[in-house]
Amino acid sequence: TVPHLASTSPGTPLPPSPEKNGAPPADGRLPAHAALIVVQVLFGLWPVVGVIALRALTPPALVGLRLAIGAPILALAAGLHRKPLPARRDLIRIAGLAALGISINQLLFVEGLAHAGHIHASVLGLLIPPFTVGIAALLGASAHGQCSGGFG
């Protein structure tokens, strides 16, 4: 329930909203939502831009370029938070897992993009969550013993 609406009964006028003049709440949700929207737009454009980039680059070269550009940007963004870095041993482990997970995932995606095109790659990408939920339900791998589909 919304705290400022929890004690109202039907027919009672609503109390004023805690936001002033329709301004968004000052708890940082607006920048977070804006970032999520930007990420979703970029994620949605990736197959189209990827097909165009594949006219000039091979799939491994495109993945290497993305990693070469993305890794320093991510490191810079992480550095802006000024939190202590993980231990060196953990950094090496994280780098190894990133190389395996991100690089191999991207290489497989870009190879598929090169062979199937942006429409098929987008449709297959959209099918990943429902298939994951379906497989989790079949295997009984939900934390509550049942699959909630993200709504429970």
Side-chain angles (χ1 to χ4, degrees):
T1 62
V2 180
H4 70 281
L5 298 179
S7 62
T8 60
S9 60
T12 307
L14 294 176
S17 173
E19 293 86 20
K20 298 189 178 33
N21 300 327
D27 63 358
R29 286 185 287 176
L30 183 62
H33 289 149
L36 287 170
I37 290 169
V38 169
V39 167
Q40 284 304 112
V41 169
L42 293 175
F43 186 76
L45 289 174
W46 165 223
V48 177
V49 173
V51 166
I52 294 168
L54 285 170
R55 293 178 188 164
L57 298 169
T58 64
L62 179 56
V63 170
L65 181 65
R66 283 194 69 188
L67 292 172
I69 292 171
I73 291 172
L74 184 59
L76 177 65
L80 292 176
H81 289 287
R82 300 186 192 273
K83 294 189 178 184
L85 289 175
R88 183 180 178 97
R89 187 184 93 227
D90 292 335
L91 281 176
I92 293 170
R93 186 176 294 154
I94 291 169
L97 292 171
L100 289 174
I102 296 170
S103 302
I104 292 172
N105 177 13
Q106 282 297 299
L107 187 57
L108 291 173
F109 176 80
V110 175
E111 286 288 349
L113 187 63
H115 290 88
H118 64 283
I119 294 173
H120 291 98
S122 297
V123 170
L124 286 173
L126 290 172
L127 291 174
I128 292 171
F131 273 105
T132 303
V133 169
I135 291 169
L138 289 173
L139 296 175
S142 173
H144 301 292
Q146 61 183 350
C147 187
S148 64
F151 298 106

